[in-house]
Amino acid sequence: MDAQLKRGLLEICVLTAIKKEDSYGYKIIKDISPYVEISESTLYPILKRLEASGCITVYTVEHNSRLRKYYKITESGINKIYEFLEEWKSVMKAYDFIKEEYDE
């Protein structure tokens, strides 16, 4: 898969994982892993980019005497998911065309 496409898909998956509830790194990986392969070394740069772009905010909570970073989606992050869903419709039309021609 094209690296840029995969990166964009992973960003949307991360946003979707934290849309339901604020979450932390390990749980985000656990939630996404059944659908797409993602590692810590891939996740944390994505989280940094999403924070820098204003799609998420970060806060810490003490858990078992340690601080845990939690990630919260912003309105901008929610809008990014909706934009992706709209754009993906045209990608699926192209996919359907290609698949139809390939199957013949």
Side-chain angles (χ1 to χ4, degrees):
M1 180 184 293
D2 177 70
Q4 286 297 96
L5 177 60
K6 186 172 183 178
R7 181 181 134 190
L9 287 171
L10 287 174
E11 285 184 359
I12 298 301
C13 288
V14 169
L15 289 171
T16 300
I18 62 175
K19 185 176 180 285
K20 294 177 187 173
E21 65 180 344
D22 299 358
S23 194
Y24 53 95
Y26 176 77
K27 184 167 183 334
I28 294 169
I29 291 171
K30 187 176 158 193
D31 291 344
I32 294 174
S33 290
Y35 306 100
V36 64
E37 186 178 319
I38 188 167
S39 65
E40 285 184 32
S41 62
T42 301
L43 175 65
Y44 289 103
I46 290 171
L47 290 168
K48 290 274 189 202
R49 282 194 305 271
L50 290 171
E51 182 183 11
S53 67
C55 291
I56 62 173
T57 57
V58 181
Y59 63 93
T60 56
V61 173
E62 188 173 328
H63 178 76
N64 292 336
S65 301
R66 296 182 59 186
L67 291 179
R68 178 184 281 172
K69 275 189 177 182
Y70 277 82
Y71 302 90
K72 178 180 180 67
I73 195 166
T74 64
E75 192 66 33
S76 177
I78 292 169
N79 289 337
K80 186 171 180 137
I81 294 171
Y82 289 126
E83 288 168 10
F84 167 82
L85 291 172
E86 283 302 311
E87 290 173 5
W88 200 253
K89 289 177 186 177
S90 63
V91 172
M92 289 307 297
K93 285 181 186 178
Y95 170 85
D96 290 342
F97 169 74
I98 294 166
K99 183 155 176 40
E100 183 179 302
E101 292 299 314
Y102 182 77
D103 286 342
E104 291 182 0

